Amino acid sequence: MNIYLNDDIEHFDWQAALPLLSEQRREQCLKFRHELGRQTCAAAYLLLCEALRKEYGITEKPVFEYGEHGKPAISGHPDIHFNMSHCREAAICVVSDHLVGVDIESIHRYSESLARYVMSDKEMEQILHAENPALVFTQLWTRKEAAVKRSGYGISNDMKHVLEGLPFEIETVLVPEKNYVYSITL
């Protein structure tokens, strides 16, 4: 598994990147109302292109097909697994020869009511007793989202118990100095 990260989004020129995107991805990026969404969407795709070139020698622009629950796969390359994510500060892409999930999120104030809705009692204890509750909430949330993205089922109604009994590990990287956290399934 290899990780590709761009955490210099403020200097990423999404308009210059548009010709480098597949028509499918260009349309997806342009659906974002704000420039930041367009930037991070394009940046994540270009990280995937870089990964495919370096890891597999693939130089054509990847086109996606989607599974039953919306998980993207690269058309013509069912053996290559990938996942992308982006937030205000960064974009990330992971490629692997096995199922993988990644999530990256900005660290910002959290809502205790939302936390109680998506976190188990044990996780709430961690958050409430933390020196930095927002950081711990973000850490736990990225772990949950990486896990569900790996499965391909996406966010469910019962996010509280997503991390219980997983048949794989999750690595979490905290980057508070740049205001983001990411988690990757291993």
Side-chain angles (χ1 to χ4, degrees), residues 27-98:
E27 287 175 11
Q28 188 176 8
C29 288
L30 292 174
K31 287 180 182 177
F32 283 89
R33 289 179 45 191
H34 301 288
E35 185 171 348
L36 181 60
R38 293 174 180 177
Q39 278 179 301
T40 55
C41 179
Y45 181 84
L46 291 183
L47 290 173
L48 174 62
C49 292
E50 178 184 358
L52 294 174
R53 187 177 61 256
K54 287 181 177 178
E55 308 299 325
Y56 301 96
I58 297 171
T59 57
E60 68 263 10
K61 298 172 185 175
V63 174
F64 303 142
E65 49 192 46
Y66 295 91
E68 178 183 347
H69 300 285
K71 183 173 176 134
I74 300 168
S75 294
H77 298 281
D79 55 325
I80 300 174
H81 300 275
F82 76 99
N83 206 230
M84 301 181 294
S85 185
H86 49 82
C87 66
R88 296 183 67 82
E89 293 77 19
I92 192 167
C93 176
V94 179
V95 294
S96 180
D97 59 356
H98 63 276

Side-chain angles (χ1 to χ4, degrees), residues 142-160:
T142 62
R143 294 175 67 80
K144 288 174 183 270
E145 191 149 344
V148 298
K149 287 175 72 177
R150 180 186 188 273
S151 74
Y153 287 104
I155 295 175
S156 69
N157 289 333
D158 185 18
M159 291 298 286
K160 287 185 178 192

Side-chain angles (χ1 to χ4, degrees), residues 51 73 82 100 129 135 140:
F82 76 99
V100 66
H129 291 97
L135 179 64
L140 289 166

